[in-house]
mmCIF file with all atom_site columns, all heavy atoms in Angstrom:
data_model
loop_
_atom_site.group_PDB
_atom_site.id
_atom_site.type_symbol
_atom_site.label_atom_id
_atom_site.label_alt_id
_atom_site.label_comp_id
_atom_site.label_asym_id
_atom_site.label_entity_id
_atom_site.label_seq_id
_atom_site.pdbx_PDB_ins_code
_atom_site.Cartn_x
_atom_site.Cartn_y
_atom_site.Cartn_z
_atom_site.occupancy
_atom_site.B_iso_or_equiv
_atom_site.pdbx_formal_charge
_atom_site.auth_seq_id
_atom_site.auth_comp_id
_atom_site.auth_asym_id
_atom_site.auth_atom_id
_atom_site.pdbx_PDB_model_num
ATOM 1   N N   . GLN P 1 1  ? 0.830  -1.204 0.000   1.00 94.00 ? 120 GLN P N   1
ATOM 2   C CA  . GLN P 1 1  ? 0.000  0.000  0.000   1.00 94.00 ? 120 GLN P CA  1
ATOM 3   C C   . GLN P 1 1  ? 0.865  1.255  0.000   1.00 94.00 ? 120 GLN P C   1
ATOM 4   O O   . GLN P 1 1  ? 2.056  1.226  0.354   1.00 94.00 ? 120 GLN P O   1
ATOM 5   C CB  . GLN P 1 1  ? -0.938 0.030  1.216   1.00 94.00 ? 120 GLN P CB  1
ATOM 6   C CG  . GLN P 1 1  ? -2.093 -0.973 1.163   1.00 94.00 ? 120 GLN P CG  1
ATOM 7   C CD  . GLN P 1 1  ? -3.119 -0.669 2.231   1.00 94.00 ? 120 GLN P CD  1
ATOM 8   O OE1 . GLN P 1 1  ? -2.844 -0.772 3.429   1.00 94.00 ? 120 GLN P OE1 1
ATOM 9   N NE2 . GLN P 1 1  ? -4.321 -0.288 1.791   1.00 94.00 ? 120 GLN P NE2 1
ATOM 10  N N   . VAL P 1 2  ? 0.199  2.352  -0.387  1.00 94.00 ? 121 VAL P N   1
ATOM 11  C CA  . VAL P 1 2  ? 0.817  3.670  -0.292  1.00 94.00 ? 121 VAL P CA  1
ATOM 12  C C   . VAL P 1 2  ? -0.131 4.572  0.494   1.00 94.00 ? 121 VAL P C   1
ATOM 13  O O   . VAL P 1 2  ? -1.319 4.665  0.190   1.00 94.00 ? 121 VAL P O   1
ATOM 14  C CB  . VAL P 1 2  ? 1.086  4.285  -1.679  1.00 94.00 ? 121 VAL P CB  1
ATOM 15  C CG1 . VAL P 1 2  ? 1.532  5.732  -1.542  1.00 94.00 ? 121 VAL P CG1 1
ATOM 16  C CG2 . VAL P 1 2  ? 2.138  3.492  -2.428  1.00 94.00 ? 121 VAL P CG2 1
ATOM 17  N N   . CYS P 1 3  ? 0.424  5.234  1.548   1.00 96.00 ? 122 CYS P N   1
ATOM 18  C CA  . CYS P 1 3  ? -0.364 6.154  2.375   1.00 96.00 ? 122 CYS P CA  1
ATOM 19  C C   . CYS P 1 3  ? 0.123  7.579  2.142   1.00 96.00 ? 122 CYS P C   1
ATOM 20  O O   . CYS P 1 3  ? 1.332  7.841  2.120   1.00 96.00 ? 122 CYS P O   1
ATOM 21  C CB  . CYS P 1 3  ? -0.246 5.807  3.853   1.00 96.00 ? 122 CYS P CB  1
ATOM 22  S SG  . CYS P 1 3  ? -0.842 4.153  4.269   1.00 96.00 ? 122 CYS P SG  1
ATOM 23  N N   . SER P 1 4  ? -0.800 8.483  1.962   1.00 96.00 ? 123 SER P N   1
ATOM 24  C CA  . SER P 1 4  ? -0.469 9.895  1.770   1.00 96.00 ? 123 SER P CA  1
ATOM 25  C C   . SER P 1 4  ? -1.090 10.732 2.876   1.00 96.00 ? 123 SER P C   1
ATOM 26  O O   . SER P 1 4  ? -2.164 10.407 3.405   1.00 96.00 ? 123 SER P O   1
ATOM 27  C CB  . SER P 1 4  ? -0.962 10.373 0.401   1.00 96.00 ? 123 SER P CB  1
ATOM 28  O OG  . SER P 1 4  ? -2.371 10.211 0.285   1.00 96.00 ? 123 SER P OG  1
ATOM 29  N N   . VAL P 1 5  ? -0.402 11.832 3.228   1.00 98.00 ? 124 VAL P N   1
ATOM 30  C CA  . VAL P 1 5  ? -0.814 12.678 4.352   1.00 98.00 ? 124 VAL P CA  1
ATOM 31  C C   . VAL P 1 5  ? -1.415 13.975 3.825   1.00 98.00 ? 124 VAL P C   1
ATOM 32  O O   . VAL P 1 5  ? -0.857 14.617 2.928   1.00 98.00 ? 124 VAL P O   1
ATOM 33  C CB  . VAL P 1 5  ? 0.381  13.006 5.273   1.00 98.00 ? 124 VAL P CB  1
ATOM 34  C CG1 . VAL P 1 5  ? -0.059 13.923 6.412   1.00 98.00 ? 124 VAL P CG1 1
ATOM 35  C CG2 . VAL P 1 5  ? 0.995  11.721 5.825   1.00 98.00 ? 124 VAL P CG2 1
ATOM 36  N N   . SER P 1 6  ? -2.553 14.368 4.394   1.00 97.00 ? 125 SER P N   1
ATOM 37  C CA  . SER P 1 6  ? -3.167 15.662 4.103   1.00 97.00 ? 125 SER P CA  1
ATOM 38  C C   . SER P 1 6  ? -3.273 16.473 5.393   1.00 97.00 ? 125 SER P C   1
ATOM 39  O O   . SER P 1 6  ? -3.471 15.899 6.473   1.00 97.00 ? 125 SER P O   1
ATOM 40  C CB  . SER P 1 6  ? -4.568 15.482 3.502   1.00 97.00 ? 125 SER P CB  1
ATOM 41  O OG  . SER P 1 6  ? -4.502 14.743 2.301   1.00 97.00 ? 125 SER P OG  1
ATOM 42  N N   . ALA P 1 7  ? -3.132 17.806 5.272   1.00 97.00 ? 126 ALA P N   1
ATOM 43  C CA  . ALA P 1 7  ? -3.188 18.720 6.431   1.00 97.00 ? 126 ALA P CA  1
ATOM 44  C C   . ALA P 1 7  ? -2.160 18.326 7.478   1.00 97.00 ? 126 ALA P C   1
ATOM 45  O O   . ALA P 1 7  ? -2.391 18.467 8.686   1.00 97.00 ? 126 ALA P O   1
ATOM 46  C CB  . ALA P 1 7  ? -4.583 18.738 7.037   1.00 97.00 ? 126 ALA P CB  1
ATOM 47  N N   . GLY P 1 8  ? -1.021 17.849 6.999   1.00 97.00 ? 127 GLY P N   1
ATOM 48  C CA  . GLY P 1 8  ? 0.004  17.360 7.923   1.00 97.00 ? 127 GLY P CA  1
ATOM 49  C C   . GLY P 1 8  ? 0.978  18.408 8.397   1.00 97.00 ? 127 GLY P C   1
ATOM 50  O O   . GLY P 1 8  ? 1.813  18.126 9.261   1.00 97.00 ? 127 GLY P O   1
ATOM 51  N N   . ILE P 1 9  ? 0.905  19.616 7.845   1.00 98.00 ? 128 ILE P N   1
ATOM 52  C CA  . ILE P 1 9  ? 1.848  20.673 8.221   1.00 98.00 ? 128 ILE P CA  1
ATOM 53  C C   . ILE P 1 9  ? 1.069  21.875 8.742   1.00 98.00 ? 128 ILE P C   1
ATOM 54  O O   . ILE P 1 9  ? 0.074  22.299 8.145   1.00 98.00 ? 128 ILE P O   1
ATOM 55  C CB  . ILE P 1 9  ? 2.718  21.090 7.019   1.00 98.00 ? 128 ILE P CB  1
ATOM 56  C CG1 . ILE P 1 9  ? 3.567  19.915 6.542   1.00 98.00 ? 128 ILE P CG1 1
ATOM 57  C CG2 . ILE P 1 9  ? 3.617  22.262 7.396   1.00 98.00 ? 128 ILE P CG2 1
ATOM 58  C CD1 . ILE P 1 9  ? 4.375  20.209 5.293   1.00 98.00 ? 128 ILE P CD1 1
ATOM 59  N N   . GLY P 1 10 ? 1.512  22.416 9.871   1.00 97.00 ? 129 GLY P N   1
ATOM 60  C CA  . GLY P 1 10 ? 0.838  23.587 10.434  1.00 97.00 ? 129 GLY P CA  1
ATOM 61  C C   . GLY P 1 10 ? 1.483  24.042 11.719  1.00 97.00 ? 129 GLY P C   1
ATOM 62  O O   . GLY P 1 10 ? 2.605  23.635 12.054  1.00 97.00 ? 129 GLY P O   1
ATOM 63  N N   . THR P 1 11 ? 0.770  24.886 12.449  1.00 97.00 ? 130 THR P N   1
ATOM 64  C CA  . THR P 1 11 ? 1.255  25.438 13.715  1.00 97.00 ? 130 THR P CA  1
ATOM 65  C C   . THR P 1 11 ? 0.186  25.248 14.781  1.00 97.00 ? 130 THR P C   1
ATOM 66  O O   . THR P 1 11 ? -1.002 25.524 14.537  1.00 97.00 ? 130 THR P O   1
ATOM 67  C CB  . THR P 1 11 ? 1.567  26.943 13.576  1.00 97.00 ? 130 THR P CB  1
ATOM 68  O OG1 . THR P 1 11 ? 2.552  27.117 12.552  1.00 97.00 ? 130 THR P OG1 1
ATOM 69  C CG2 . THR P 1 11 ? 2.102  27.514 14.890  1.00 97.00 ? 130 THR P CG2 1
ATOM 70  N N   . VAL P 1 12 ? 0.582  24.793 15.953  1.00 95.00 ? 131 VAL P N   1
ATOM 71  C CA  . VAL P 1 12 ? -0.366 24.588 17.051  1.00 95.00 ? 131 VAL P CA  1
ATOM 72  C C   . VAL P 1 12 ? -0.946 25.935 17.466  1.00 95.00 ? 131 VAL P C   1
ATOM 73  O O   . VAL P 1 12 ? -0.213 26.910 17.678  1.00 95.00 ? 131 VAL P O   1
ATOM 74  C CB  . VAL P 1 12 ? 0.330  23.922 18.247  1.00 95.00 ? 131 VAL P CB  1
ATOM 75  C CG1 . VAL P 1 12 ? -0.635 23.806 19.424  1.00 95.00 ? 131 VAL P CG1 1
ATOM 76  C CG2 . VAL P 1 12 ? 0.860  22.559 17.853  1.00 95.00 ? 131 VAL P CG2 1
ATOM 77  N N   . GLY P 1 13 ? -2.266 25.977 17.583  1.00 91.00 ? 132 GLY P N   1
ATOM 78  C CA  . GLY P 1 13 ? -2.928 27.248 17.894  1.00 91.00 ? 132 GLY P CA  1
ATOM 79  C C   . GLY P 1 13 ? -3.780 27.193 19.133  1.00 91.00 ? 132 GLY P C   1
ATOM 80  O O   . GLY P 1 13 ? -4.952 27.579 19.114  1.00 91.00 ? 132 GLY P O   1
ATOM 81  N N   . GLY P 1 14 ? -3.213 26.732 20.243  1.00 89.00 ? 133 GLY P N   1
ATOM 82  C CA  . GLY P 1 14 ? -3.925 26.771 21.514  1.00 89.00 ? 133 GLY P CA  1
ATOM 83  C C   . GLY P 1 14 ? -4.877 25.623 21.741  1.00 89.00 ? 133 GLY P C   1
ATOM 84  O O   . GLY P 1 14 ? -5.702 25.676 22.666  1.00 89.00 ? 133 GLY P O   1
ATOM 85  N N   . SER P 1 15 ? -4.785 24.576 20.933  1.00 93.00 ? 134 SER P N   1
ATOM 86  C CA  . SER P 1 15 ? -5.618 23.385 21.141  1.00 93.00 ? 134 SER P CA  1
ATOM 87  C C   . SER P 1 15 ? -4.958 22.194 20.466  1.00 93.00 ? 134 SER P C   1
ATOM 88  O O   . SER P 1 15 ? -4.041 22.353 19.651  1.00 93.00 ? 134 SER P O   1
ATOM 89  C CB  . SER P 1 15 ? -7.034 23.603 20.577  1.00 93.00 ? 134 SER P CB  1
ATOM 90  O OG  . SER P 1 15 ? -6.984 23.815 19.181  1.00 93.00 ? 134 SER P OG  1
ATOM 91  N N   . ASP P 1 16 ? -5.432 20.988 20.811  1.00 96.00 ? 135 ASP P N   1
ATOM 92  C CA  . ASP P 1 16 ? -4.897 19.785 20.185  1.00 96.00 ? 135 ASP P CA  1
ATOM 93  C C   . ASP P 1 16 ? -5.181 19.796 18.682  1.00 96.00 ? 135 ASP P C   1
ATOM 94  O O   . ASP P 1 16 ? -6.238 20.267 18.230  1.00 96.00 ? 135 ASP P O   1
ATOM 95  C CB  . ASP P 1 16 ? -5.520 18.536 20.805  1.00 96.00 ? 135 ASP P CB  1
ATOM 96  C CG  . ASP P 1 16 ? -5.099 18.339 22.260  1.00 96.00 ? 135 ASP P CG  1
ATOM 97  O OD1 . ASP P 1 16 ? -4.034 18.850 22.636  1.00 96.00 ? 135 ASP P OD1 1
ATOM 98  O OD2 . ASP P 1 16 ? -5.847 17.678 22.998  1.00 96.00 ? 135 ASP P OD2 1
ATOM 99  N N   . VAL P 1 17 ? -4.234 19.276 17.918  1.00 98.00 ? 136 VAL P N   1
ATOM 100 C CA  . VAL P 1 17 ? -4.406 19.131 16.471  1.00 98.00 ? 136 VAL P CA  1
ATOM 101 C C   . VAL P 1 17 ? -5.029 17.763 16.204  1.00 98.00 ? 136 VAL P C   1
ATOM 102 O O   . VAL P 1 17 ? -4.465 16.726 16.583  1.00 98.00 ? 136 VAL P O   1
ATOM 103 C CB  . VAL P 1 17 ? -3.056 19.251 15.734  1.00 98.00 ? 136 VAL P CB  1
ATOM 104 C CG1 . VAL P 1 17 ? -3.229 19.008 14.242  1.00 98.00 ? 136 VAL P CG1 1
ATOM 105 C CG2 . VAL P 1 17 ? -2.434 20.618 15.993  1.00 98.00 ? 136 VAL P CG2 1
ATOM 106 N N   . THR P 1 18 ? -6.191 17.736 15.561  1.00 98.00 ? 137 THR P N   1
ATOM 107 C CA  . THR P 1 18 ? -6.903 16.472 15.350  1.00 98.00 ? 137 THR P CA  1
ATOM 108 C C   . THR P 1 18 ? -7.311 16.269 13.890  1.00 98.00 ? 137 THR P C   1
ATOM 109 O O   . THR P 1 18 ? -8.027 15.305 13.586  1.00 98.00 ? 137 THR P O   1
ATOM 110 C CB  . THR P 1 18 ? -8.176 16.432 16.219  1.00 98.00 ? 137 THR P CB  1
ATOM 111 O OG1 . THR P 1 18 ? -9.026 17.537 15.847  1.00 98.00 ? 137 THR P OG1 1
ATOM 112 C CG2 . THR P 1 18 ? -7.836 16.531 17.696  1.00 98.00 ? 137 THR P CG2 1
ATOM 113 N N   . ASP P 1 19 ? -6.868 17.153 12.979  1.00 98.00 ? 138 ASP P N   1
ATOM 114 C CA  . ASP P 1 19 ? -7.392 17.100 11.609  1.00 98.00 ? 138 ASP P CA  1
ATOM 115 C C   . ASP P 1 19 ? -6.403 16.580 10.571  1.00 98.00 ? 138 ASP P C   1
ATOM 116 O O   . ASP P 1 19 ? -6.627 16.723 9.361   1.00 98.00 ? 138 ASP P O   1
ATOM 117 C CB  . ASP P 1 19 ? -7.883 18.480 11.192  1.00 98.00 ? 138 ASP P CB  1
ATOM 118 C CG  . ASP P 1 19 ? -6.778 19.531 11.222  1.00 98.00 ? 138 ASP P CG  1
ATOM 119 O OD1 . ASP P 1 19 ? -5.687 19.235 11.760  1.00 98.00 ? 138 ASP P OD1 1
ATOM 120 O OD2 . ASP P 1 19 ? -7.014 20.642 10.710  1.00 98.00 ? 138 ASP P OD2 1
ATOM 121 N N   . VAL P 1 20 ? -5.299 15.958 11.004  1.00 98.00 ? 139 VAL P N   1
ATOM 122 C CA  . VAL P 1 20 ? -4.374 15.345 10.043  1.00 98.00 ? 139 VAL P CA  1
ATOM 123 C C   . VAL P 1 20 ? -5.029 14.083 9.490   1.00 98.00 ? 139 VAL P C   1
ATOM 124 O O   . VAL P 1 20 ? -5.553 13.261 10.247  1.00 98.00 ? 139 VAL P O   1
ATOM 125 C CB  . VAL P 1 20 ? -3.022 15.004 10.707  1.00 98.00 ? 139 VAL P CB  1
ATOM 126 C CG1 . VAL P 1 20 ? -2.082 14.350 9.700   1.00 98.00 ? 139 VAL P CG1 1
ATOM 127 C CG2 . VAL P 1 20 ? -2.392 16.259 11.302  1.00 98.00 ? 139 VAL P CG2 1
ATOM 128 N N   . THR P 1 21 ? -5.000 13.920 8.172   1.00 98.00 ? 140 THR P N   1
ATOM 129 C CA  . THR P 1 21 ? -5.595 12.720 7.567   1.00 98.00 ? 140 THR P CA  1
ATOM 130 C C   . THR P 1 21 ? -4.528 11.922 6.823   1.00 98.00 ? 140 THR P C   1
ATOM 131 O O   . THR P 1 21 ? -3.688 12.491 6.123   1.00 98.00 ? 140 THR P O   1
ATOM 132 C CB  . THR P 1 21 ? -6.726 13.088 6.587   1.00 98.00 ? 140 THR P CB  1
ATOM 133 O OG1 . THR P 1 21 ? -6.217 13.917 5.547   1.00 98.00 ? 140 THR P OG1 1
ATOM 134 C CG2 . THR P 1 21 ? -7.838 13.822 7.313   1.00 98.00 ? 140 THR P CG2 1
ATOM 135 N N   . VAL P 1 22 ? -4.587 10.608 7.003   1.00 98.00 ? 141 VAL P N   1
ATOM 136 C CA  . VAL P 1 22 ? -3.679 9.689  6.316   1.00 98.00 ? 141 VAL P CA  1
ATOM 137 C C   . VAL P 1 22 ? -4.549 8.711  5.528   1.00 98.00 ? 141 VAL P C   1
ATOM 138 O O   . VAL P 1 22 ? -5.291 7.916  6.115   1.00 98.00 ? 141 VAL P O   1
ATOM 139 C CB  . VAL P 1 22 ? -2.770 8.936  7.311   1.00 98.00 ? 141 VAL P CB  1
ATOM 140 C CG1 . VAL P 1 22 ? -1.849 7.981  6.561   1.00 98.00 ? 141 VAL P CG1 1
ATOM 141 C CG2 . VAL P 1 22 ? -1.963 9.927  8.156   1.00 98.00 ? 141 VAL P CG2 1
ATOM 142 N N   . ASP P 1 23 ? -4.471 8.829  4.223   1.00 97.00 ? 142 ASP P N   1
ATOM 143 C CA  . ASP P 1 23 ? -5.275 7.960  3.350   1.00 97.00 ? 142 ASP P CA  1
ATOM 144 C C   . ASP P 1 23 ? -4.373 6.900  2.719   1.00 97.00 ? 142 ASP P C   1
ATOM 145 O O   . ASP P 1 23 ? -3.354 7.230  2.097   1.00 97.00 ? 142 ASP P O   1
ATOM 146 C CB  . ASP P 1 23 ? -5.941 8.779  2.247   1.00 97.00 ? 142 ASP P CB  1
ATOM 147 C CG  . ASP P 1 23 ? -6.925 9.788  2.805   1.00 97.00 ? 142 ASP P CG  1
ATOM 148 O OD1 . ASP P 1 23 ? -7.755 9.396  3.644   1.00 97.00 ? 142 ASP P OD1 1
ATOM 149 O OD2 . ASP P 1 23 ? -6.861 10.974 2.401   1.00 97.00 ? 142 ASP P OD2 1
ATOM 150 N N   . CYS P 1 24 ? -4.757 5.634  2.866   1.00 96.00 ? 143 CYS P N   1
ATOM 151 C CA  . CYS P 1 24 ? -3.963 4.519  2.332   1.00 96.00 ? 143 CYS P CA  1
ATOM 152 C C   . CYS P 1 24 ? -4.742 3.823  1.202   1.00 96.00 ? 143 CYS P C   1
ATOM 153 O O   . CYS P 1 24 ? -5.972 3.727  1.238   1.00 96.00 ? 143 CYS P O   1
ATOM 154 C CB  . CYS P 1 24 ? -3.657 3.504  3.426   1.00 96.00 ? 143 CYS P CB  1
ATOM 155 S SG  . CYS P 1 24 ? -2.729 4.215  4.817   1.00 96.00 ? 143 CYS P SG  1
ATOM 156 N N   . ALA P 1 25 ? -3.996 3.366  0.234   1.00 95.00 ? 144 ALA P N   1
ATOM 157 C CA  . ALA P 1 25 ? -4.603 2.642  -0.899  1.00 95.00 ? 144 ALA P CA  1
ATOM 158 C C   . ALA P 1 25 ? -3.646 1.555  -1.350  1.00 95.00 ? 144 ALA P C   1
ATOM 159 O O   . ALA P 1 25 ? -2.433 1.631  -1.125  1.00 95.00 ? 144 ALA P O   1
ATOM 160 C CB  . ALA P 1 25 ? -4.899 3.612  -2.044  1.00 95.00 ? 144 ALA P CB  1
ATOM 161 N N   . ASP P 1 26 ? -4.218 0.514  -1.986  1.00 92.00 ? 145 ASP P N   1
ATOM 162 C CA  . ASP P 1 26 ? -3.375 -0.554 -2.532  1.00 92.00 ? 145 ASP P CA  1
ATOM 163 C C   . ASP P 1 26 ? -2.423 0.044  -3.561  1.00 92.00 ? 145 ASP P C   1
ATOM 164 O O   . ASP P 1 26 ? -2.768 0.974  -4.310  1.00 92.00 ? 145 ASP P O   1
ATOM 165 C CB  . ASP P 1 26 ? -4.236 -1.625 -3.185  1.00 92.00 ? 145 ASP P CB  1
ATOM 166 C CG  . ASP P 1 26 ? -5.046 -2.403 -2.154  1.00 92.00 ? 145 ASP P CG  1
ATOM 167 O OD1 . ASP P 1 26 ? -4.669 -2.360 -0.962  1.00 92.00 ? 145 ASP P OD1 1
ATOM 168 O OD2 . ASP P 1 26 ? -6.057 -3.006 -2.552  1.00 92.00 ? 145 ASP P OD2 1
ATOM 169 N N   . ALA P 1 27 ? -1.211 -0.487 -3.613  1.00 87.00 ? 146 ALA P N   1
ATOM 170 C CA  . ALA P 1 27 ? -0.188 0.054  -4.507  1.00 87.00 ? 146 ALA P CA  1
ATOM 171 C C   . ALA P 1 27 ? 0.396  -1.052 -5.364  1.00 87.00 ? 146 ALA P C   1
ATOM 172 O O   . ALA P 1 27 ? 0.408  -2.237 -4.987  1.00 87.00 ? 146 ALA P O   1
ATOM 173 C CB  . ALA P 1 27 ? 0.905  0.726  -3.683  1.00 87.00 ? 146 ALA P CB  1
ATOM 174 N N   . TYR P 1 28 ? 0.880  -0.632 -6.528  1.00 90.00 ? 147 TYR P N   1
ATOM 175 C CA  . TYR P 1 28 ? 1.448  -1.589 -7.458  1.00 90.00 ? 147 TYR P CA  1
ATOM 176 C C   . TYR P 1 28 ? 2.753  -1.032 -7.997  1.00 90.00 ? 147 TYR P C   1
ATOM 177 O O   . TYR P 1 28 ? 2.928  0.185  -8.131  1.00 90.00 ? 147 TYR P O   1
ATOM 178 C CB  . TYR P 1 28 ? 0.466  -1.862 -8.596  1.00 90.00 ? 147 TYR P CB  1
ATOM 179 C CG  . TYR P 1 28 ? -0.848 -2.414 -8.103  1.00 90.00 ? 147 TYR P CG  1
ATOM 180 C CD1 . TYR P 1 28 ? -1.900 -1.561 -7.822  1.00 90.00 ? 147 TYR P CD1 1
ATOM 181 C CD2 . TYR P 1 28 ? -1.002 -3.786 -7.901  1.00 90.00 ? 147 TYR P CD2 1
ATOM 182 C CE1 . TYR P 1 28 ? -3.102 -2.058 -7.342  1.00 90.00 ? 147 TYR P CE1 1
ATOM 183 C CE2 . TYR P 1 28 ? -2.199 -4.296 -7.426  1.00 90.00 ? 147 TYR P CE2 1
ATOM 184 C CZ  . TYR P 1 28 ? -3.251 -3.429 -7.141  1.00 90.00 ? 147 TYR P CZ  1
ATOM 185 O OH  . TYR P 1 28 ? -4.421 -3.934 -6.663  1.00 90.00 ? 147 TYR P OH  1
ATOM 186 N N   . THR P 1 29 ? 3.647  -1.969 -8.327  1.00 89.00 ? 148 THR P N   1
ATOM 187 C CA  . THR P 1 29 ? 4.928  -1.535 -8.870  1.00 89.00 ? 148 THR P CA  1
ATOM 188 C C   . THR P 1 29 ? 4.795  -1.217 -10.355 1.00 89.00 ? 148 THR P C   1
ATOM 189 O O   . THR P 1 29 ? 3.915  -1.729 -11.048 1.00 89.00 ? 148 THR P O   1
ATOM 190 C CB  . THR P 1 29 ? 5.998  -2.614 -8.672  1.00 89.00 ? 148 THR P CB  1
ATOM 191 O OG1 . THR P 1 29 ? 5.570  -3.821 -9.330  1.00 89.00 ? 148 THR P OG1 1
ATOM 192 C CG2 . THR P 1 29 ? 6.230  -2.889 -7.203  1.00 89.00 ? 148 THR P CG2 1
ATOM 193 N N   . ILE P 1 30 ? 5.680  -0.345 -10.792 1.00 94.00 ? 149 ILE P N   1
ATOM 194 C CA  . ILE P 1 30 ? 5.747  0.049  -12.195 1.00 94.00 ? 149 ILE P CA  1
ATOM 195 C C   . ILE P 1 30 ? 7.069  -0.447 -12.758 1.00 94.00 ? 149 ILE P C   1
ATOM 196 O O   . ILE P 1 30 ? 8.129  -0.207 -12.177 1.00 94.00 ? 149 ILE P O   1
ATOM 197 C CB  . ILE P 1 30 ? 5.666  1.580  -12.333 1.00 94.00 ? 149 ILE P CB  1
ATOM 198 C CG1 . ILE P 1 30 ? 4.418  2.120  -11.620 1.00 94.00 ? 149 ILE P CG1 1
ATOM 199 C CG2 . ILE P 1 30 ? 5.697  1.981  -13.804 1.00 94.00 ? 149 ILE P CG2 1
ATOM 200 C CD1 . ILE P 1 30 ? 3.113  1.616  -12.177 1.00 94.00 ? 149 ILE P CD1 1
ATOM 201 N N   . GLY P 1 31 ? 7.017  -1.157 -13.881 1.00 95.00 ? 150 GLY P N   1
ATOM 202 C CA  . GLY P 1 31 ? 8.241  -1.665 -14.467 1.00 95.00 ? 150 GLY P CA  1
ATOM 203 C C   . GLY P 1 31 ? 8.043  -2.115 -15.909 1.00 95.00 ? 150 GLY P C   1
ATOM 204 O O   . GLY P 1 31 ? 7.002  -1.850 -16.523 1.00 95.00 ? 150 GLY P O   1
ATOM 205 N N   . GLY P 1 32 ? 9.042  -2.768 -16.421 1.00 96.00 ? 151 GLY P N   1
ATOM 206 C CA  . GLY P 1 32 ? 8.971  -3.216 -17.806 1.00 96.00 ? 151 GLY P CA  1
ATOM 207 C C   . GLY P 1 32 ? 10.278 -3.864 -18.225 1.00 96.00 ? 151 GLY P C   1
ATOM 208 O O   . GLY P 1 32 ? 10.945 -4.520 -17.397 1.00 96.00 ? 151 GLY P O   1
ATOM 209 N N   . THR P 1 33 ? 10.664 -3.651 -19.477 1.00 96.00 ? 152 THR P N   1
ATOM 210 C CA  . THR P 1 33 ? 11.857 -4.300 -20.011 1.00 96.00 ? 152 THR P CA  1
ATOM 211 C C   . THR P 1 33 ? 12.669 -3.300 -20.834 1.00 96.00 ? 152 THR P C   1
ATOM 212 O O   . THR P 1 33 ? 12.097 -2.467 -21.564 1.00 96.00 ? 152 THR P O   1
ATOM 213 C CB  . THR P 1 33 ? 11.474 -5.476 -20.913 1.00 96.00 ? 152 THR P CB  1
ATOM 214 O OG1 . THR P 1 33 ? 10.658 -6.381 -20.178 1.00 96.00 ? 152 THR P OG1 1
ATOM 215 C CG2 . THR P 1 33 ? 12.713 -6.212 -21.422 1.00 96.00 ? 152 THR P CG2 1
ATOM 216 N N   . VAL P 1 34 ? 13.988 -3.376 -20.721 1.00 96.00 ? 153 VAL P N   1
ATOM 217 C CA  . VAL P 1 34 ? 14.915 -2.576 -21.529 1.00 96.00 ? 153 VAL P CA  1
ATOM 218 C C   . VAL P 1 34 ? 15.597 -3.505 -22.529 1.00 96.00 ? 153 VAL P C   1
ATOM 219 O O   . VAL P 1 34 ? 16.042 -4.601 -22.164 1.00 96.00 ? 153 VAL P O   1
ATOM 220 C CB  . VAL P 1 34 ? 15.961 -1.876 -20.635 1.00 96.00 ? 153 VAL P CB  1
ATOM 221 C CG1 . VAL P 1 34 ? 17.015 -1.191 -21.503 1.00 96.00 ? 153 VAL P CG1 1
ATOM 222 C CG2 . VAL P 1 34 ? 15.300 -0.884 -19.700 1.00 96.00 ? 153 VAL P CG2 1
ATOM 223 N N   . SER P 1 35 ? 15.693 -2.996 -23.746 1.00 94.00 ? 154 SER P N   1
ATOM 224 C CA  . SER P 1 35 ? 16.424 -3.779 -24.766 1.00 94.00 ? 154 SER P CA  1
ATOM 225 C C   . SER P 1 35 ? 17.240 -2.835 -25.624 1.00 94.00 ? 154 SER P C   1
ATOM 226 O O   . SER P 1 35 ? 16.932 -1.642 -25.753 1.00 94.00 ? 154 SER P O   1
ATOM 227 C CB  . SER P 1 35 ? 15.439 -4.570 -25.648 1.00 94.00 ? 154 SER P CB  1
ATOM 228 O OG  . SER P 1 35 ? 14.588 -3.687 -26.363 1.00 94.00 ? 154 SER P OG  1
ATOM 229 N N   . GLY P 1 36 ? 18.308 -3.383 -26.231 1.00 92.00 ? 155 GLY P N   1
ATOM 230 C CA  . GLY P 1 36 ? 19.162 -2.628 -27.121 1.00 92.00 ? 155 GLY P CA  1
ATOM 231 C C   . GLY P 1 36 ? 20.075 -1.642 -26.419 1.00 92.00 ? 155 GLY P C   1
ATOM 232 O O   . GLY P 1 36 ? 20.639 -0.746 -27.060 1.00 92.00 ? 155 GLY P O   1
#
């Protein structure tokens, strides 16, 4: 899988930070063949 972070950067503003989201999805490799 590959997980990506949203709203992961900011500054604490007098309360707990609770809005960071981490979304994960199935992942696949990318490849092929080289010739010549």
Side-chain angles (χ1 to χ4, degrees):
Q120 288 192 295
V121 171
C122 299
S123 59
V124 178
S125 300
I128 297 176
T130 301
V131 176
S134 62
D135 293 336
V136 176
T137 60
D138 60 349
V139 179
T140 60
V141 179
D142 297 312
C143 301
D145 291 341
Y147 300 93
T148 59
I149 306 298
T152 304
V153 173
S154 63

